[in-house]
Amino acid sequence: MSPLSRRWIYVAIVYFCLAVGLGVFMGLSGDHRLMAVHAHMNLLGWVTLALIGIIYHYFPKAATSRLASLQFWLHNLTLPVMMGALALVILGTPQAGPVLGSSAVVMLLAVLLFAGNLLWRRT
Ligand code: HEM
Ligand code: HEM
């Protein structure tokens, strides 16, 4: 497995632990306010990162491109900011709204980079 695939999967595991930790906290405390954070840490973190890692394993040419590295950093620097801003907005700090909105747009860019990289360098 390429080093890039490994990196995606290692970070995915970190999100899995954090997201399930938050899920257990929500279940035990009965406070489900952070459900959207839990859901996206699991789905945009754990599931998406693991899938990308596995997909790059089957597209080794795409995995070695500069775009792949840029996409890795864009996704993984944006996701914590996006989740932090989402938590702040939910917990009553609407001032974090613009950060949430812009980080979501940057996340979309990272997703498009992934799509473009995979389509252009698939063979
Ligand atoms: C021990 C593990 C987990 C616990 C204790 C847990 C707990 C919870 C709780 C308490 C909620 C809020 C439910 C509500 O208010 O209606 C929730 C929602 C959610 N969880 Fe988890 N969760 C766990 C694992 C996962 C995993 C592994 C995923 C995805 C890979 C996941 C995805 C979701 C999603 C998408 C929602 C939102 C569901 C909706 O829109 O109604 N959870 N979880
Ligand atoms: C930039 C990326 C994304 C943005 C901006 C985004 C945005 C949103 C928004 C605004 C909602 C409605 C929340 C609410 O009504 O409280 C939502 C819900 C949901 N999204 Fe996403 N989403 C993104 C990525 C994803 C991905 C990649 C997945 C799955 C692989 C996903 C799965 C879900 C699920 C299951 C729900 C319902 C659970 C909940 O309300 O938290 N989202 N998302």
Side-chain angles (χ1 to χ4, degrees):
M1 181 171 279
S2 75
L4 186 84
S5 284
R6 259 178 232 275
R7 268 201 274 157
W8 280 103
I9 289 169
Y10 288 148
V11 183
I13 291 167
V14 173
Y15 277 109
F16 194 25
C17 297
L18 292 175
V20 169
L22 180 56
V24 172
F25 166 78
M26 293 192 316
L28 292 177
S29 65
D31 180 352
H32 294 187
R33 278 180 301 166
L34 291 179
M35 180 181 89
V37 179
H38 162 76
H40 288 88
M41 267 168 63
N42 261 318
L43 296 172
L44 203 50
W46 159 236
V47 175
T48 300
L49 267 61
L51 261 180
I52 291 176
I54 294 166
I55 289 171
Y56 273 134
H57 177 67
Y58 292 101
F59 291 81
K61 201 172 166 203
T64 54
S65 78
R66 279 182 156 204
L67 221 54
S69 184
L70 178 66
Q71 179 224 338
F72 176 85
W73 287 110
L74 207 58
H75 193 122
N76 288 299
L77 292 175
T78 306
L79 191 51
V81 176
M82 191 176 154
M83 293 300 100
L86 179 57
L88 283 173
V89 169
I90 291 171
L91 297 175
T93 310
Q95 293 89 333
V99 178
L100 176 58
S102 4
S103 56
V105 172
V106 177
M107 184 56 79
L108 172 63
L109 195 70
V111 169
L112 294 176
L113 271 185
F114 172 62
N117 184 40
L118 214 72
L119 292 175
W120 286 321
R121 308 203 32 151
R122 60 189 179 274
T123 50

